[in-house]
């Protein structure tokens, strides 16, 4: 066996194990893991004192996403470049059905935007927003084609994205039949609209009233309702971007009743509190759901540590300062969304592992292994096993990076994290054996990424996700 590349003396970390060993790559695959692998002409990389992690899977991105009166600023090239520089080697992006469109057309259109531009691998979820019998029939076909998860909105009625509870139920029934997984954006639309119009009538139009229109009960109530609908239809469900203690408690309770309910949170909820909405650039922190209080942040870390929150996705949907100005006189018009795909690993490490909130194995679970299991990419992705794709990150626990716009790779003109310096950063990213990032410099290639058809959701597989209280 002649290896192409050998990563020597690194600390290999998977969801379950941490071992000091070499790792060998042949072509696009991991070919060997062990002590003192034969060098034999292979390109050698010394990883002493550094972690070797499975590449991250960011299961929540919105590249080139038309939303409100804008389109998110990162396209599939700049967005995935940012991902790669943060140690992400696969994204799962949300293909948005246009009104009247079949799901097949949606996928075709989305792939036309992504193929040829993505610098790392990608898969798709489908957002269903215009439901009829034909669309329900198509779901089975889509699952067969490797799009095994669907996302529905309980809010954004005015933006034309909301599905009513009956619609959600019908999609869930269908997904349950064919092993699909339903992702839900859980916020109570009526309550939001009521509070928003109340603030606007009072002349309160600044960004902080956006956050105040979405208090924790907005999410808590919707998660509860969604779980009951999922339970009734027998459908596994994934709560996207969970931001509250109330939501976490509800999810945890469902899990204790052995319901297949999973939850994701995002880097921004783990770092900030709602004080950011008092800042002059508060609009840059407007996303849905908005950032909550310290007790919510603590509950999310707790949920990650207990394994109740399975994944961290970025909800990368960024807008420039100029685009954010669409809402300068009215908070309801600020395009919702922030950047984050580049910061999943640095945030989990600096604010999580280094502060002893989670272990390094739990970091791998949340950023790679669990999304691979839930979204049908395992064992091709999500681990460091012989035969798996050589999607790898060399992570230097000593490297310090100030999270300014200049040090990040998204196209936007600001960084909401710019007051932070983190310690611990990916210094090399390999995508299917190819080095695409070195020391913060992107050296990959547009179009290198490949579309990934995913496997149907299997509850038995999902149950393999460790309850990460290993220590
Ligand atoms: Zn999103």
């Amino acid at each position: 066996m002649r290896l192409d590349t050998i990563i020597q003396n690194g600390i290999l970390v998977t969801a379950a194990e941490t071992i000091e060993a070499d790792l060998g790559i042949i072509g696009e695959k991991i070919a060997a893991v062990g002590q003192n692998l034969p060098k034999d002409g292979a390109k050698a990389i010394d990883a002493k004192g550094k972690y070797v992690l499975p590449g991250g899977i960011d299961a929540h991105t919105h590249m080139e996403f038309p939303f409100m009166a804008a389109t998110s600023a990162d396209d599939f090239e700049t967005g995935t470049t940012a991902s790669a520089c943060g140690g992400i080697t696969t994204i799962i992006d949300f293909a948005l059905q246009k009104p009247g469109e079949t799901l097949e057309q949606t996928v075709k259109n989305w792939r036309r935007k992504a193929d040829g531009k993505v610098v790392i691998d990608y898969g798709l979820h489908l957002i269903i927003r215009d439901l009829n019998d034909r669309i329900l029939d198509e779901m089975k076909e889509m699952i067969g084609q490797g799009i095994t998860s669907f996302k529905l909105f309980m809010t954004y009625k005015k933006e034309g994205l909301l599905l009513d509870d009956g619609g959600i139920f019908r999609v869930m029934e269908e997904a349950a039949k064919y092993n699909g997984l339903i992702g839900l954006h859980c916020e109570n639309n009526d309550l939001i609209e009521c509070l928003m119009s109340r603030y606007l009538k009072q002349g309160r139009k600044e960004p902080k009233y956006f956050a105040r229109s979405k208090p924790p009960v907005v999410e808590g109530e919707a998660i509860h309702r969604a779980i009951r609908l999922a339970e009734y239809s027998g459908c596994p469900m994934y709560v996207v971007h969970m931001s509250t203690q109330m939501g976490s408690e509800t999810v945890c309770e469902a899990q204790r009743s052995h319901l297949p309910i999973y939850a994701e949170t995002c880097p921004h909820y783990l770092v900030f509190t709602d004080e950011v909405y008092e800042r002059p650039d508060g609009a840059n922190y407007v996303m849905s759901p908005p950032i909550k209080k310290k007790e919510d942040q603590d509950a999310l870390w707790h949920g990650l540590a207990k394994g109740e929150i399975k994944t961290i996705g970025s909800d990368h949907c960024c807008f420039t300062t100029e685009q954010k100005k669409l809402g300068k006189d009215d908070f309801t018009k600020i395009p919702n969304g922030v950047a984050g795909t580049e910061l999943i690993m640095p945030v989990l490490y600096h604010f999580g592992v280094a502060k002893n909130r989670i272990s390094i194995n739990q970091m791998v679970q949340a950023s790679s292994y669990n999304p691979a299991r839930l979204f049908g990419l395992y064992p091709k992705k999500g681990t460091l096993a012989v035969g798996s794709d050589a999607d790898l990150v060399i992570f230097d626990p000593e490297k310090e990076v100030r999270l300014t716009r200049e040090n990040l790779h998204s196209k936007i003109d600001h960084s909401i994290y710019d007051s932070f310096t983190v310690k611990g950063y990916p210094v090399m990213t390999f995508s299917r054996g190819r080095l695409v990032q070195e020391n913060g410099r992107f050296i990959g290639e547009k179009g290198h990424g490949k579309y990934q058809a995913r496997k149907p959701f299997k509850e038995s597989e999902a149950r393999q996700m460790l309850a990460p209280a290993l220590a």
Side-chain angles (χ1 to χ4, degrees), residues 60 62 94 151 185 241 315:
H60 194 148
H62 301 276
F94 288 95
K151 181 181 175 187
H185 178 136
H241 53 48
D315 200 3

Side-chain angles (χ1 to χ4, degrees), residues 60-62 65 94 127 151 153 156 185 240-241 264 266 288 314-317:
H60 194 148
T61 68
H62 301 276
F65 190 76
F94 288 95
I127 296 175
K151 181 181 175 187
F153 286 93
Y156 294 134
H185 178 136
V240 296
H241 53 48
E264 162 197 273
C266 311
S288 276
S314 67
D315 200 3
H316 187 89
C317 186

